[in-house]
Amino acid sequence: MTQPVSDLTSKKCKPCEGGVAPLKKAEIDNFLNHLEGWQYAGGKIAKTYAFKNYYQTMAFVNAAAWISHREDHHPDISVGYNQCRVEYSTHAINGLSENDFICAAKLDKLFEL
């Protein structure tokens, strides 16, 4: 059983250089049950965050970049005027790891502030 989101936000990403199997679909589904609005497709999880304006969008993107730097786990981010889409995958294993869900939970917590 996976940890609740609050537990994921207290964890730190572990370095992943490959050599481990990506999460199985059942494990991915279990993690997704603890995250709101994240979708799984094409070996990635993704979510689009909506904002009131460009300033709020960019403030979130900058904070997401800071979190990504601290966790050493970097998403693909697409930015528009009042939205940004975040996609996570673990490139070293060509799939998903717990790191993707740790970072997703941390961005969701950031978005709540």
Side-chain angles (χ1 to χ4, degrees):
M1 175 91 178
T2 59
Q3 297 85 16
V5 171
S6 60
D7 289 346
L8 287 172
T9 59
S10 67
K11 294 184 101 174
K12 177 108 175 90
C13 290
K14 296 176 182 146
C16 182
E17 301 299 326
V20 296
L23 295 175
K24 294 180 177 12
K25 181 72 165 92
E27 295 169 306
I28 293 167
D29 290 342
N30 201 11
F31 274 117
L32 284 174
N33 285 334
H34 297 288
L35 296 172
E36 188 174 329
W38 287 87
Q39 302 291 318
Y40 171 71
K44 299 178 179 185
I45 56 170
K47 181 175 182 174
T48 299
Y49 293 91
F51 301 93
K52 291 181 184 176
N53 55 47
Y54 187 72
Y55 174 79
Q56 288 181 355
T57 304
M58 293 311 297
F60 179 81
V61 169
N62 286 325
W66 181 79
I67 289 169
S68 299
H69 174 72
R70 297 224 9 168
E71 294 298 327
D72 197 22
H73 194 69
H74 307 92
D76 293 325
I77 300 177
S78 304
V79 179
Y81 169 75
N82 63 350
Q83 66 179 2
C84 82
R85 180 174 175 80
V86 179
E87 296 180 345
Y88 277 107
S89 67
T90 303
H91 304 289
I93 61 171
N94 198 27
L96 294 172
S97 70
E98 185 179 33
N99 290 347
D100 300 303
F101 295 93
I102 290 169
C103 288
K106 288 184 179 196
L107 289 190
D108 281 352
K109 188 172 183 179
L110 173 67
F111 187 73
E112 293 173 2
L113 298 176

